[in-house]
Amino acid sequence: LPTGVVPVTAKPTFIKYAPQNFLMALYNDGRQEYLNTSELGAFVDQRKALKDVKYLYIYANNEILKDVSFIDTPGLNSRSNADTKETMQILAKANALIWISLINNAARASELNELELIPSALRENALCLLNQKDKLNDDEIKRVLAHSALTYKKYFKATYAISALMELNAKPNSGFSEVFSFLK
């Protein structure tokens, strides 16, 4: 999914299993449009006007999606109050939460204000992933994890440093094996 320095997810994006990969845009008038997943970027960027789109559905041939579905929501700091309200409604119905933050922005005061919005019932099944650990050395990662563990203990069951880039490039020590072990 697209990422950026500022939040880019504009519409809730449901990620589900299907034998073939495709994107479906559901519009406010009930209309559905089926597209190639490569067109996702045109639909999820908060910097673009997407008033007619209600939800996006990504269908992917990925085994994990047979057991669990994911929802990428606008952040709790969305530019749109309506999007933040939609995210809160989704969180109220969710079974678990994976909060992804950049490792060099972890546990800042502005983020803590957003975390207060997470329903307390969801916190027992909440996990924090601090991405881009590849940008820090081992000592820096340890310090950030120690600080985050203290700061986040009220909000998350566990916090892990990961590197999506390392995982994508099949490099060792991406942090994902620890996350998967925790989830089992």
Side-chain angles (χ1 to χ4, degrees):
L1 297 168
T3 62
V5 175
V6 296
V8 295
T9 303
K11 298 297 174 182
T13 304
F14 297 80
I15 306 162
K16 299 175 166 275
Y17 177 81
Q20 300 295 319
N21 296 346
F22 64 94
L23 170 67
M24 192 265 288
L26 176 64
Y27 292 88
N28 289 319
D29 63 6
R31 183 172 41 101
Q32 297 176 358
E33 183 177 16
Y34 294 88
L35 304 155
N36 189 298
T37 56
S38 64
E39 298 186 56
L40 178 65
F43 287 92
V44 296
D45 194 333
Q46 282 189 15
R47 297 166 290 193
K48 299 177 181 177
L50 301 169
K51 293 178 183 153
D52 291 343
V53 176
K54 182 172 178 133
Y55 298 126
L56 295 167
Y57 293 85
I58 297 173
Y59 292 91
N61 186 358
N62 186 305
E63 290 298 310
I64 196 170
L65 296 174
K66 289 181 176 179
D67 297 320
V68 64
S69 294
F70 293 93
I71 307 168
D72 184 22
T73 64
L76 296 171
N77 62 346
S78 175
R79 291 181 182 183
S80 162
N81 288 337
D83 287 345
T84 299
K85 183 179 176 183
E86 179 79 31
T87 296
M88 292 302 299
Q89 291 172 345
I90 289 169
L91 287 177
K93 297 176 190 174
N95 295 320
L97 170 71
I98 300 173
W99 181 273
I100 303 173
S101 185
L102 296 178
I103 198 163
N104 57 358
N105 288 331
R108 293 199 174 166
S110 59
E111 186 176 45
L112 296 177
N113 292 335
E114 294 170 37
L115 294 175
E116 283 296 324
L117 298 174
I118 296 172
S120 56
L122 188 56
R123 294 177 185 179
E124 187 62 28
N125 292 322
L127 179 67
C128 178
L129 303 181
L130 302 176
N131 194 19
Q132 297 186 351
K133 80 176 211 168
D134 52 286
K135 294 187 175 186
L136 303 179
N137 65 42
D138 288 343
D139 288 337
E140 292 169 323
I141 293 168
K142 287 177 188 173
R143 282 197 303 274
V144 170
L145 283 174
H147 172 69
S148 297
L150 286 173
T151 306
Y152 287 153
K153 67 183 176 187
K154 174 180 170 184
Y155 307 104
F156 304 113
K157 187 91 171 170
T159 301
Y160 291 95
I162 61 163
S163 171
L165 180 63
M166 290 170 69
E167 182 70 15
L168 187 64
N169 292 323
K171 292 186 177 180
N173 303 319
S174 70
F176 281 88
S177 61
E178 293 87 353
V179 174
F180 295 143
S181 292
F182 174 80
L183 293 174
K184 289 181 182 178

